[in-house]
Amino acid sequence: MRVTLLVMVVLTLLLAGCSQATEIKPPTIRYGEDKCADCDMIINDERFAAAAIREISAGDYESLLFDDIGDLVRYLAQHKDQTFVASYVHDYDTKAWIEAEKAVYVDSDTLKTPMATGLAASSSQGGAEALAAQWNGKVMDWEAVKAQGGTMRHGGMGGMGGSNQPTPTK
């Protein structure tokens, strides 16, 4: 009896630790603990964190976490054989989850992101325009971001080894 109870408790804990779900919603990220599905780095900065929900089987979903919007975009482009049912990014200012296709993006050479893609998201056109003005960036929609493929074109590994704070232009 005690062995059966112990086995059930262990199995329950194991299943609770999996990132599989039966509903489609933004995941919870444990900052400083969870790793990026693309680059395997620890996710530390909520402003740039992203997620994709992959369908494993009918009605079964898995959350994939990313430390940079560019990693999400690159992963989606490299795994076209998989079924992704949703993607999410964080609003840079409020840190609230946004559906990736509804967000408005800023691409800037002066914005330091975890993987140096220079991408940030906003929930509004006005918010994105303000960020673009601050960082001398350009405003983009989801289709334009996907078209550029999450390339690392802003000088290496972004905030690695230094502050991950944005560097506004004057």
Side-chain angles (χ1 to χ4, degrees), residues 68-132:
D68 191 298
I69 295 168
D71 279 2
L72 164 67
V73 173
R74 186 173 30 258
Y75 192 92
L76 294 174
Q78 292 174 347
H79 295 89
K80 291 183 185 277
D81 59 321
Q82 298 175 15
T83 303
F84 295 97
V85 296
S87 296
Y88 300 97
V89 295
H90 279 102
D91 180 288
Y92 181 88
D93 290 319
T94 69
K95 299 177 185 72
W97 282 115
I98 316 165
E99 292 177 34
E101 60 275 358
K102 292 181 181 177
V104 185
Y105 298 87
V106 175
D107 178 26
S108 170
D109 289 334
T110 61
L111 176 62
K112 293 181 181 179
T113 66
M115 293 306 292
T117 61
L119 291 169
S122 177
S123 59
S124 70
Q125 183 74 29
E129 289 171 359
L131 293 174

Side-chain angles (χ1 to χ4, degrees), residues 13-32:
L13 290 173
L14 286 173
L15 290 174
C18 292
S19 59
Q20 293 183 356
T22 56
E23 62 183 300
I24 301 167
K25 64 180 183 178
T28 300
I29 298 176
R30 296 169 305 174
Y31 295 96

Side-chain angles (χ1 to χ4, degrees), residues 36 38-42 67-68 71 74 111-118 151-164:
C36 177
D38 187 58
C39 70
D40 207 37
M41 290 180 59
I42 298 291
D67 66 339
D68 191 298
D71 279 2
R74 186 173 30 258
L111 176 62
K112 293 181 181 179
T113 66
M115 293 306 292
T117 61
T151 56
M152 247 179 19
R153 65 202 179 290
H154 296 295
M157 301 299 264
M160 289 180 55
S163 167
N164 196 27

